[in-house]
Amino acid sequence: MASPMDPRLDRCLAIVLDVTGGAGDEAKVRRDPAKWSVVEIVEHLTRAYSGTAKGFERCLEKGAPLASAATLKQALQQFALINLGYFPEGRQAPKHIMPSGELDMNAVLDAVRRDLTRLDVAAARTRQTLGTGKMLDHPIIGALTVDQWLSFHVIHTRHHAKQIISRR
């Protein structure tokens, strides 16, 4: 039997399923051309989950953390985000996690389940193999531990859940 998913990743899945429940084809439509549709937001989230999983997998392949030293600014941003749950508005997403806009709701929800499972496995293996220190750089807030990454994903998912609710 499969072991249960990390509670933080379980929470990400629950949040996504909750805010997208019953969404149909209208979820692909951008009401405001400058803002992502519901489906695009979910695609962005799943790209973030898989990106972190890939990063942890690279750490495992290398047999070492890939974290660099955080700047003071990054350390302050990390504290605000991870410890206080403050997620700044209006920041451009890194290119590799921008949505393609080519998927539908079923496809992005399947991807969320797949990528959260992949992230769960990669996170557990990374923590077990390489320990609890800083592991991998976030493109904006710098080096995070495995646990900080999982907390980041909950806060990031919550941030976008508010956008999904406002668009629906």
Side-chain angles (χ1 to χ4, degrees):
M1 189 173 138
S3 61
M5 193 165 5
D6 183 283
R8 289 162 293 199
L9 299 181
D10 226 8
R11 184 84 198 107
C12 290
L13 179 60
I15 292 167
V16 170
L17 294 177
D18 183 52
V19 297
T20 59
D25 289 343
E26 82 287 350
K28 285 186 74 163
V29 177
R30 283 188 179 199
R31 290 197 174 83
D32 175 342
K35 293 184 175 175
W36 292 341
S37 71
V38 170
V39 169
E40 287 171 320
I41 293 169
V42 179
E43 182 184 354
H44 162 73
L45 288 170
T46 201
R47 285 172 173 261
Y49 306 145
S50 70
T52 304
K54 285 176 193 161
F56 289 153
E57 289 160 359
R58 283 196 307 275
C59 290
L60 288 165
E61 283 167 23
K62 190 178 176 208
L66 297 173
S68 57
T71 64
L72 177 60
K73 180 182 177 185
Q74 287 174 326
L76 292 171
Q77 289 173 321
Q78 278 179 29
F79 182 82
L81 197 136
I82 305 295
N83 297 73
L84 306 177
Y86 171 73
F87 200 98
E89 295 287 333
R91 193 169 262 162
Q92 181 81 28
K95 278 194 175 29
H96 68 284
I97 60 172
M98 295 289 275
S100 68
E102 295 167 7
L103 302 175
D104 64 20
M105 185 55 80
N106 288 336
V108 293
L109 290 177
D110 287 347
V112 164
R113 288 182 183 92
R114 178 194 67 226
D115 292 333
L116 282 171
T117 301
R118 178 180 177 188
L119 176 53
D120 186 53
V121 169
R125 285 188 55 222
T126 302
R127 192 187 304 104
Q128 185 178 15
T129 307
L130 300 173
T132 57
K134 298 287 185 178
M135 198 58 58
L136 188 64
D137 290 354
H138 179 281
I140 296 162
I141 61 172
L144 301 175
T145 66
V146 171
D147 287 323
Q148 287 174 322
W149 267 108
L150 301 184
S151 296
F152 164 81
H153 282 295
V154 175
I155 295 159
H156 182 234
T157 301
R158 268 196 211 121
H159 164 77
H160 286 296
K162 291 176 195 158
Q163 296 174 337
I164 290 171
I165 291 165
S166 74
R167 283 171 183 62
R168 292 190 73 190

